[in-house]
Amino acid sequence: MEKVVIYSRVSTTHQTTENQISVLKEVCERFGYHLVDTYIDEGVSGSKGREHRKEFDRMCKDMVRGKFHRILVWDISRLGRSLTHLVEFLNEVHSIGVHLYIHQSGIDTS
């Protein structure tokens, strides 16, 4: 079973991560993935850097440690709103060999 994680983020307290996580857990079940962790940043803008998104930072550190092989996200905007930060993250993911599943776009980098 492939080890995967879910990353979810909302930027206001009026939003919830529950719908994102629920759908991505269904994806895990459908593909037989083993969900090893869920990282949730609430009330943090995607334009903020990694140092302001504690769970995103924890996920990146776990990725380097080899804790999982794939990251599932609802939408690319959940990973970041800054193009510079997003490109840096995508380069890091690619260099480590971790795959991304971006639900709303139907993108699977494997």
Side-chain angles (χ1 to χ4, degrees):
M1 250 196 237
E2 186 173 12
K3 294 179 182 178
V4 304
V5 297
I6 291 173
Y7 177 72
S8 180
R9 182 189 60 77
V10 292
S11 52
T12 71
T13 55
H14 302 323
Q15 298 170 314
T16 178
T17 58
E18 291 174 22
N19 59 336
Q20 296 173 34
I21 294 169
S22 174
V23 169
L24 294 172
K25 282 184 175 180
E26 289 175 11
V27 170
C28 288
E29 290 176 23
R30 185 173 349 125
F31 291 108
Y33 294 149
H34 175 62
L35 181 61
V36 295
D37 211 339
T38 301
Y39 305 88
I40 302 169
D41 281 314
E42 295 188 63
V44 183
S45 171
S47 65
K48 300 286 185 188
R50 191 168 146 176
E51 67 277 7
H52 298 285
R53 296 189 286 152
K54 300 303 180 194
E55 286 293 280
F56 184 79
D57 183 56
R58 184 172 72 87
M59 179 184 70
C60 291
K61 289 174 181 172
D62 285 347
M63 176 176 66
V64 170
R65 292 179 188 118
K67 184 175 176 179
F68 54 84
H69 306 106
R70 182 182 306 272
I71 301 168
L72 283 65
V73 295
W74 172 256
D75 185 69
I76 192 77
S77 66
R78 301 303 87 202
L79 292 171
R81 295 247 183 221
S82 161
L83 185 57
T84 303
H85 294 153
L86 189 56
V87 169
E88 288 171 359
F89 174 71
L90 294 175
N91 283 334
E92 185 176 8
V93 166
H94 178 72
S95 71
I96 293 172
V98 168
H99 297 290
L100 280 174
Y101 173 84
I102 304 168
H103 185 75
Q104 286 294 89
S105 304
I107 295 173
D108 183 341
T109 63
S110 63

